[in-house]
Amino acid sequence: MERRFPVEGGRGWVSVREEGDRAVCLARFDDKGEGLYKAYLLGNGGRLDLGALLPGEEGLALKRNIPLERLRQAGVWPPVGAGVQLVSPARRGTPPPPPPPGWAREPRPQRLMGEELLAQCAGELRGALLRRGEEGFALAVPWVPGREFPLTPLFCFARVEELEGRSFAVFSFNRCGCPCLPHREGGVVEG
């Protein structure tokens, strides 16, 4: 027999299934990046922590096989409830410094791309900066020499520039989001 307990307003569940002399405990929880969560069982005689939920394909997850005798000793067999508890909130870093003059932070660069392949590649970019011009726009993406180059399909269209004390690969695009050569007269990069 399996018992399933919904947790945190529908964000997940904890289930317990008896298999011989053991209980199989499963937990699933919607991961919103808030920190470390642990699951627990409740019984008429106590509470037993099941452990930390780990990231998986379907959010946070946990699976434990526990001897029934241990659950009885802890006062949680048969279970009457379960839960998931935030035990260590995620540390939020300090906000990034303001972008360099003429640039703005662009959290979703894929929305600017005029081609599907470029939109897919740009969807994985983090820390991009945007500068608009009369002919189109420039997109600057952080780049560390020796690591994978951002927007690989546009490698030949890039110009490396230092912004915020770091190296950026800077790409020029026309108003439709199609790439332009960086040395083009009147382009956004050369301004």
Side-chain angles (χ1 to χ4, degrees):
M1 177 168 113
E2 181 176 82
R3 294 181 178 101
R4 182 177 259 194
F5 304 98
V7 295
E8 295 286 322
R11 284 184 61 189
W13 48 265
V14 177
S15 72
V16 182
R17 183 179 69 248
E18 187 176 347
E19 286 187 5
D21 65 344
R22 303 185 76 74
V24 177
C25 304
L26 302 172
R28 294 270 191 268
F29 195 68
D30 181 24
D31 183 12
K32 294 185 179 178
E34 297 148 317
L36 177 66
Y37 281 91
K38 288 189 175 184
Y40 60 88
L41 284 180
L42 295 172
N44 288 327
R47 171 184 161 143
L48 178 70
D49 287 335
L50 298 173
L53 284 86
L54 301 175
E57 291 180 11
E58 299 176 19
L60 299 175
L62 169 136
K63 180 178 182 180
R64 297 285 185 269
N65 289 307
I66 304 172
L68 291 176
E69 187 55 35
R70 181 171 172 214
L71 297 178
R72 286 187 189 98
Q73 289 171 354
V76 297
W77 192 259
V80 296
V84 172
Q85 178 180 11
L86 179 65
V87 294
S88 180
R91 292 185 183 178
R92 303 289 182 214
T94 57
W103 293 90
R105 300 225 178 268
E106 178 51 59
R108 294 183 43 238
Q110 66 270 26
R111 72 182 178 85
L112 303 168
M113 300 296 116
E115 298 175 9
E116 182 62 31
L117 172 65
L118 297 180
Q120 288 175 0
C121 292
E124 299 176 14
L125 299 176
R126 302 289 174 260
L129 299 173
L130 174 69
R131 180 173 66 199
R132 296 211 180 259
E134 290 181 24
E135 300 290 318
F137 63 92
L139 189 67
V141 183
W143 173 62
V144 177
R147 292 198 182 153
E148 184 176 346
F149 198 82
L151 280 176
T152 306
L154 298 182
F155 176 81
C156 294
F157 288 81
R159 179 175 123 178
V160 176
E161 202 173 304
E162 189 169 313
L163 301 167
E164 299 181 320
R166 301 184 298 161
S167 293
F168 280 76
V170 181
F171 303 91
S172 293
F173 296 88
N174 65 20
R175 288 185 205 124
C176 298
C178 294
C180 302
L181 292 173
H183 61 277
R184 182 175 166 231
E185 289 288 320
V188 255
V189 172
E190 293 293 332

